[in-house]
Amino acid sequence: MNALAAGKLSWRMLMRDARAGELHLLALALVIAVSSVATVGFFADRVERALSRQANQLLGGDLLLVSDRYWPEEYAIRARDAGLSNARTARFPSMVTRVDGSASQTDAPPPSGSRPSPVEGVLEPSSALSGTLRSQPSPPQPSPASGEGAKPDRFSPSPSPAPAGIKPGTGGAQSEEALLSQIRAVTPGYPLRGQIKIADAPFSEARNAKAIPAPGTVWVDDKLYNRMQLKIGDALKIGDARLNVAAVLLQEPDAAVGFMNLAPRLVLNYADLPATGLIQPGSRIRYQLLIAGDARTVDDYREWAAARIGPGQRIESIRDARPEIRSALERAGSFLGLASLVAVILAAAAVALAARRFLQRHLDGCAVMRCLGASQGRILQLYVQQFVILGFAASAVGCAIGYGAQYALAHFLGSFVAGELPQASLLPALHGFAAGLLLLLGFALPPLVTLGKVPTLRVMRRELGAPGGIGVLSYVLGFASISALILWKAYDLTLGLYMLAGFSAALLVSAALVWLLLKLLRGANSGGISWRYGIANMRRRALGSVIQIVALALGIMALLVLTLIRGDLLNAWKGSLPPDAPNRFVINIQPDQLQSLGEFFAAKGISPPQMYPMVRGRLTAINGNTISPEAYIDDDRAKRLVEREFNLSWGQELADDNRLIAGRWWDELESGEGEAWLSVEQGIAETLNIKLGDTLTYDIAGQTMEARVASLRKVDWDSFRVNFFVLAAPGVLDDYPASYVTSFHLPAERAGVLNDLVKSFPNMLVIDVAAVVMQVQKIMDQVVSAVEFVFLFTLASGLVVLFAALASTQDERVFEAAIMRALGASRRQLAKAQAAEFIAIGALAGLLAAAGASVLAFVVADRVLHLPYIGSPVVWPIGIVCGAIGVLALGMLGTRVALNAPPLATLRRIA
């Protein structure tokens, strides 16, 4: 028989089985499996792209190019030619002077040496947006101003010196006041993502800016506005330019996260930059080129630019630059990946059970074909071709359903995701086809191999079952298939490995427990005859019962995870950033101000927050080897870390949002007298190649301090609480000058408290991150809603597994019921016996499902999502009771025909 003839015969066999209903369950399982995978793929693709686009609003664009030199015009031209939007910014520190002539005096000058300093504490600083607040000792010589089209080399601002007798940041009776500020010059179109919010006064009603500041005007933030006691229309001198205050700057998309923008901020029009005369060779300035547009085009542009950047230049996206948004998106991807994995596992179980039933119903036909001369290879070829045709057809239907379903999901999700969801690509459809064929062949090949080995003697002796022990190697292929799918659809190797290990362990442990329970039930002779008969049925079909109970447990476990435990996981995730998360930070608190600041909070009805000590020090050596920025020329982040000063703190207890990953905490150390210990954050340790036991040397106010690394910590930076890169053991830093930092939550309706705080303590720097907290919480809410929709489809897959598990033994049960009816058993007796068996199977499956769901939830929460998880005890009774009731209802529904029909008619139909 040639290939064409074999293909035609396979097609006729497929049509015959379809008309006879032999493939209905298998086709249904495959269609739902592929539609689940495709729906999750389409939906996850659109949601993640939409959330990434919204998250990019916090960056100001989709891509950020940062350099200490002006970006050549070819970069902007390339972006425009590719259909991408672009905008430029320039950032630098400079003195800002008030020259309106209305002498004003601040409440009190800041203490000597209390210059605001960047704190890595609350959030890991964004490498893209960190600026160096460094004034030059003397102004550089003037040079021609450079406009946007110029190409200067290492231009930087030159801070204007304060007038004689005036300290920067203090008032006095002089006619001018000067304050070191962060200047940002922007071009039209900025920001490309997100909005700038401005107002007519600090902490008043905000409005979205429709454009950048008009030429000749500036926007100032509340710190500059309050400390210089400005009002709208006042004039400020920036270098040689005199610009008028037009609005109060409340929020920039790519600012006010962490402590990288501690100095007062000011935004001006890029066209006014040459007039300031501040762009001169010799010092530091950060040029940024923002890019936005289609995701694929942006990726292509990133590849093009990455091949051309040099030292001092870097390219960053939202995942690179913003740790708190990166964390939210990574957890969103983990949740969506989890939903995909559960759908894949349930799909595999459904296909395997349906293929097992197909095998049992085709043993007779294959025996006849063997008697007519068909070889084992020919039978295998015919059925493989038949299944390939079925796989393509079912995968096409499943992908079509998935594509339509994701549009329905997009419609429902419209109220949760701001803006229009981007169109889905066809890549998830290809993934659906690949997953469908891999599942079908991986789990249907063992039955097909078995069909080819059916003995011809079965034609006369139908009690002969399927050949045993010949499809073991093929089942290895099935396990390999599901392993590949799990690792593929996990989108995260750690999540995939945990799921694969958990899935394998759950199968082995569940099968062993069920087998043990069936052995123990052998002595269960108490109860009525119906109960004993039902238990005897389970023991008689021990292997089939194990497979059925494990499959049912898998389906019920999925339902428990997706209904009860899913809510616990999502609530734990949302709880990692609670509604009362700190949204205001106060730094530069002097030791003698701790009591008065506590009294201030108490007077305002605010619970006094915890104060954290802070000592500034520069890392100068590791294990006695002097380090310098030049040693990290290939690692821009490491270079910046070496250049900057660290904020060292200390504490007796480990904070709740810190987790030891290596080493020991202070109370577990056995150190000698005078031994100094440090605990270092994991990320910075990896960047600077710091290991346990290393000796770190810091320069603190001209003094040298050495200490050994006792532990490494994983810090939850997106908690928005005060944290530090480096912590010292109590007593190590007692002899060094320290200031304090704190954080607290302030409701929006009490924003006026900040004005009183600034006036009462003018030396302190108050940082408002309320807008950022709200944006992160909004993204979390959107992700939770998206994941809940995805879980609905995975829930349907769990129901299919339950149906397939019960249907896999339905023919055998119907046949047994007909025999028992023919031997005189009443319908009532059979119904009670089957009900007892179904209740026992469902209760055992529910017990295993509750145990598996609890373990899976804990592992996923603790090891993958890094969230605290406390299991709910109601999972156990709900799993057992719902398992027993659900299996009873579905089982009795499937066998009702056999109980109602005459035994002879049933036997004739089955025969």
Side-chain angles (χ1 to χ4, degrees), residues 74-87:
E74 67 169 313
Y75 287 85
I77 294 173
R78 176 79 179 195
R80 288 194 294 269
D81 292 344
L84 299 173
S85 303
N86 70 91

Side-chain angles (χ1 to χ4, degrees), residues 4 11 64 166 197 219-220 298 340 359 420 435 478 493 524 546 579 590 614 618 626 681 725 823 853 868 891 910:
L4 181 60
W11 175 258
L64 185 65
I166 304 177
K197 293 187 179 297
W219 297 339
V220 300
V298 170
S340 300
L359 162 68
E420 183 179 355
L493 182 60
V546 169
Q590 300 305 305
M614 189 170 65
R618 185 183 301 277
T626 303
E681 190 265 343
F725 280 142
L823 294 177
I910 294 178

Side-chain angles (χ1 to χ4, degrees), residues 532-547:
R532 294 199 302 272
Y533 178 77
I535 298 301
N537 270 346
M538 293 175 58
R539 294 201 311 269
R540 185 173 63 253
R541 296 188 299 268
L543 180 59
S545 297
V546 169
I547 295 175

Side-chain angles (χ1 to χ4, degrees), residues 819-881:
I819 295 294
M820 296 300 294
R821 289 288 304 278
L823 294 177
S826 67
R827 182 185 181 281
R828 179 184 179 87
Q829 288 175 321
L830 289 177
K832 291 174 63 177
Q834 291 185 351
E837 182 180 359
F838 289 139
I839 290 175
I841 289 175
L844 288 177
L847 178 64
L848 293 175
S854 300
V855 172
L856 176 63
F858 174 78
V859 171
V860 170
D862 184 68
R863 299 296 180 182
V864 179
L865 304 177
H866 305 299
L867 297 172
Y869 176 74
I870 301 177
S872 175
V874 300
V875 172
W876 295 85
I878 289 179
I880 295 173
V881 173

Side-chain angles (χ1 to χ4, degrees), residues 135-141 158-161 283:
S135 59
Q136 301 297 320
S138 61
Q141 296 301 317
S158 168
S160 301
S283 7

Side-chain angles (χ1 to χ4, degrees), residues 360-397:
Q360 295 169 343
R361 294 169 72 97
H362 283 74
L363 291 175
D364 293 340
C366 289
V368 172
M369 293 175 66
R370 289 291 307 279
C371 290
L372 295 178
S375 65
Q376 297 178 5
R378 180 62 63 187
I379 292 177
L380 180 61
Q381 176 189 2
L382 291 174
Y383 278 104
V384 167
Q385 289 177 344
Q386 181 180 350
F387 272 46
V388 168
I389 297 173
L390 174 66
F392 272 101
S395 296
V397 173

Side-chain angles (χ1 to χ4, degrees), residues 62-106:
D62 297 330
L63 202 64
L64 185 65
L65 282 69
V66 185
S67 175
D68 52 12
R69 300 182 299 276
Y70 182 86
W71 286 101
E73 275 301 310
E74 67 169 313
Y75 287 85
I77 294 173
R78 176 79 179 195
R80 288 194 294 269
D81 292 344
L84 299 173
S85 303
N86 70 91
R88 291 182 181 271
T89 72
R91 292 188 51 185
F92 52 88
S94 178
M95 300 302 295
V96 174
T97 306
R98 175 178 174 176
V99 292
D100 60 356
S102 58
S104 62
Q105 185 165 338
T106 55

